[in-house]
Amino acid sequence: MYLTRPPMGFNTWNTFADNISDQLVREIADRMVSDGYLECGYNYLVIDDCWSLHTRDEQGRLQSDPEKFPYGIKALADYVHSKGLKFGMYSCVGNYTCAGFPGSYEYEFIDAKTLAEWGVDYLKLDYCYKPQTEDGARLYRRMGLALANCGRDIVLSACSWGADETHKWIKSTGAQLFRSTGDIFDNFGSIREIYNIQKNIYQYNGQGCFNDMDMLVVGMNGEGHVANRDNFCTLEEYRTHFSIWALFGSPLMIGSDIRSQTDATKAILQNKAVIAINQDPAYRQPYLFMSKPGNADVWVRHMDNGDLVFGIFNMSENTEMFPLSFTDHIGLNRTCGVSLKLFDVWDMKSLGTFKDIYVTHVEPHSSKLIRARICED
Ligand code: GLA
């Protein structure tokens, strides 16, 4: 199966970790539809780690925990599908999952068959407890083949955290997305760390195998498994986080509890103009346009309709001035005879038409997405 746009959806891990159940997943499914997430494109509902029993059945099959999922996974998948959503699950290339449940090592073909029977559409496959003598690429390839031959279209979401230079071999495995970093946390230091890693590997992103920068923490507000009540992102930092994920074309998997979202959080997660950048049909990689000390950077991405998007990410601790010279990198010099009509995507306002240069200031930890249309002088 070939994906042309980065997947969008919801994953249970960031907020709920072990605390998952049939009821929770059904409630999330309901809210994804009733609160407008599905309409914005968030169509995968993924159960992460901790859904199974600690033992396989007599035929070697994974079995769901009957206390958490009393009606079984197939019934839950049917419910999720009845809402117009796709259903995802989690396993691991190693002997155990990261939380210590059975992994898929040497059970790949059995597990792919079980998932297909249950009606699963997406498998997140982690990297814990990989036997040291085994090669990661080999294991993802094995599961890639198992899924490709299981009789159902199942997306393979590799989660090897960028280990062993994942980006260099992952496209050969059949994975449609790959985690390029360690786990995200709900604080700006974590966002900055993940962002910095992208500076060396963003070129490996592309249609068919998307660079997954990890699930979003937007709206966690210090609550949940990967959050800390004493140190969590501000609303402005969440906006920067979402802007980066959007411009870099990362999958957008919500990790906060969508049942108790504030309007301010929803305004970020459901911003259709920002999502449109992430989901742009041409899916071009961004390029670095300018970089100031402290990772105060500007990136540009070319859109399918001929527009450009400037992503200005001020990850530093100082307010910075950004002089955007249109000749630099983009190559729009005087002889082109064109200007750029600029639109601030978050503020939803026109900034005017500029020739040669546009200068703006951005506060610390803040960002701007500016969509530019070429117009004749
Ligand atoms: C790893 C992954 C996380 C999550 C947990 C579950 O840490 O990177 O995204 O899936 O395992 O145990």
Side-chain angles (χ1 to χ4, degrees):
M1 194 192 352
Y2 187 78
L3 293 190
T4 55
R5 317 271 173 99
M8 297 172 63
F10 171 89
N11 175 299
T12 52
W13 184 255
N14 280 1
T15 294
F16 302 101
D18 189 24
N19 199 11
I20 49 177
S21 66
D22 179 277
Q23 193 189 337
L24 172 78
V25 175
R26 284 173 198 249
E27 281 175 22
I28 298 279
D30 292 348
R31 298 296 288 267
M32 283 175 80
V33 179
S34 64
D35 291 13
Y37 291 95
L38 174 60
E39 203 225 311
C40 289
Y42 296 98
N43 62 344
Y44 284 97
L45 200 178
V46 181
I47 302 180
D48 209 281
D49 207 346
C50 308
W51 59 267
S52 76
L53 286 178
H54 282 280
T55 51
R56 290 176 176 267
D57 72 7
E58 282 166 6
Q59 279 84 45
R61 291 176 302 201
L62 290 167
Q63 24 187 11
S64 57
D65 181 335
E67 280 188 19
K68 291 173 180 163
F69 300 99
Y71 314 109
I73 299 296
K74 171 94 178 67
L76 185 54
D78 287 348
Y79 184 79
V80 170
H81 289 147
S82 77
K83 292 277 166 180
L85 297 162
K86 291 176 187 275
F87 181 64
M89 294 198 75
Y90 167 99
S91 188
C92 191
V93 294
N95 283 307
Y96 302 97
T97 71
C98 298
F101 293 86
S104 290
Y105 181 63
E106 293 190 328
Y107 286 92
E108 291 85 355
F109 281 81
I110 295 179
D111 289 354
K113 193 161 167 262
T114 306
L115 297 173
E117 281 166 10
W118 285 343
V120 170
D121 307 297
Y122 179 111
L123 173 66
K124 174 173 169 183
L125 194 64
D126 221 324
Y127 209 52
C128 284
Y129 298 101
K130 176 177 77 64
Q132 280 187 350
T133 49
E134 281 286 9
D135 171 49
R138 222 170 83 120
L139 298 185
Y140 279 105
R141 286 179 191 139
R142 190 147 79 199
M143 185 57 100
L145 282 171
L147 291 177
N149 291 281
C150 73
R152 187 175 171 87
D153 274 345
I154 300 181
V155 169
L156 175 55
S157 161
C159 181
S160 51
W161 328 304
D164 304 326
E165 299 189 300
T166 304
H167 51 279
K168 293 195 177 161
W169 45 263
I170 196 66
K171 286 189 181 170
S172 71
T173 66
Q176 282 89 352
L177 55 157
F178 67 98
R179 269 276 296 282
S180 58
T181 68
D183 289 11
I184 196 167
F185 288 89
D186 179 15
N187 63 62
F188 195 69
S190 173
I191 306 295
R192 181 158 43 200
E193 198 179 316
I194 292 175
Y195 167 75
N196 286 344
I197 291 170
Q198 304 312 317
K199 284 189 164 173
N200 298 318
I201 57 166
Y202 68 92
Q203 302 93 331
Y204 292 89
N205 199 0
Q207 267 176 342
C209 195
F210 301 100
N211 173 351
D212 177 3
M213 295 166 66
D214 205 356
M215 285 94 67
L216 301 164
V217 293
V218 175
M220 290 190 72
N221 295 319
E223 300 290 334
H225 183 67
V226 301
N228 179 338
R229 278 187 199 162
D230 299 327
N231 174 26
F232 56 91
C233 290
T234 64
L235 196 59
E236 194 56 33
E237 290 168 344
Y238 284 140
R239 206 173 284 137
T240 298
H241 163 34
F242 198 68
S243 300
I244 295 170
W245 268 234
L247 193 82
F248 278 76
S250 172
L252 299 176
M253 303 297 283
I254 297 171
S256 53
D257 187 350
I258 60 163
R259 299 168 308 168
S260 51
Q261 222 67 287
T262 63
D263 287 346
T265 297
K266 266 197 213 152
I268 296 176
L269 293 173
Q270 299 199 358
N271 187 306
K272 290 189 176 162
V274 178
I275 292 172
I277 296 168
N278 176 267
Q279 297 282 307
D280 187 67
Y283 198 77
R284 295 205 180 85
Q285 69 186 36
Y287 53 90
L288 190 59
F289 178 83
M290 71 182 291
S291 190
K292 302 184 88 174
N295 297 302
D297 305 319
V298 183
W299 296 77
V300 182
R301 184 167 153 191
H302 292 210
M303 296 285 113
D304 194 41
N305 72 347
D307 286 0
L308 305 166
V309 176
F310 291 91
I312 311 176
F313 308 130
N314 186 359
M315 311 305 275
S316 83
E317 303 303 325
N318 309 306
T319 297
E320 292 287 349
M321 182 184 75
F322 295 92
L324 312 181
S325 151
F326 305 154
T327 304
D328 291 348
H329 304 294
I330 305 174
L332 292 177
N333 59 13
R334 287 243 150 177
T335 52
C336 299
V338 295
S339 302
L340 291 183
K341 194 171 178 202
L342 304 183
F343 184 80
D344 186 313
V345 177
W346 282 111
D347 291 350
M348 290 185 58
K349 69 166 196 227
S350 171
L351 300 169
T353 302
F354 298 83
K355 199 167 176 57
D356 300 327
I357 193 162
Y358 173 72
V359 181
T360 186
H361 292 79
V362 180
E363 310 262 300
H365 299 194
S366 190
S367 61
K368 278 184 200 276
L369 288 174
I370 296 176
R371 192 153 179 147
R373 177 149 302 170
I374 288 181
C375 51
E376 287 180 15
D377 285 339

